[in-house]
Amino acid sequence: MPERPERLLEQVAALAADLGPALAPVGQLELLRSITAAARELFDAAACSLALLDEAQETLTFHVASGAGAQEVVGQRVPVDRGIAGWVVSSG
């Protein structure tokens, strides 16, 4: 039986916590790329992206992406009241 999505996310978070200190000298952007690539592989997804919240501007900015369409996603800004990612932020 496949693992629940919540458990997979816990595993990705644990991996990020474990690898963070080891990869810190490489830089934050490279760490985010590693997390995104690991999540894509873990979920066997065609693509995965990671957006960070700018609370002052109430937007999400996609900083890294992996897989199909990755280059088009990086740099995109989305208001927190739009899309699935915005809904996730708004709903906590």
Side-chain angles (χ1 to χ4, degrees), residues 50-64:
L50 194 143
L52 299 177
L53 175 63
D54 180 338
E55 291 185 62
Q57 294 187 14
E58 296 184 339
T59 60
L60 292 165
T61 302
F62 288 86
H63 289 273
V64 295

Side-chain angles (χ1 to χ4, degrees), residues 9-81:
L9 288 174
E10 290 169 6
Q11 290 173 342
V12 170
L15 175 65
D18 290 345
L19 291 178
L23 297 175
V26 176
Q28 179 183 10
L29 192 57
E30 191 57 38
L31 176 59
L32 295 177
R33 284 186 185 117
S34 297
I35 291 168
T36 303
R40 184 171 70 93
E41 186 174 326
L42 184 64
F43 288 102
D44 193 28
C48 181
S49 58
L50 194 143
L52 299 177
L53 175 63
D54 180 338
E55 291 185 62
Q57 294 187 14
E58 296 184 339
T59 60
L60 292 165
T61 302
F62 288 86
H63 289 273
V64 295
S66 174
Q71 292 179 336
E72 292 82 22
V73 172
V74 174
Q76 292 284 327
R77 298 177 67 82
V78 178
V80 295
D81 63 351

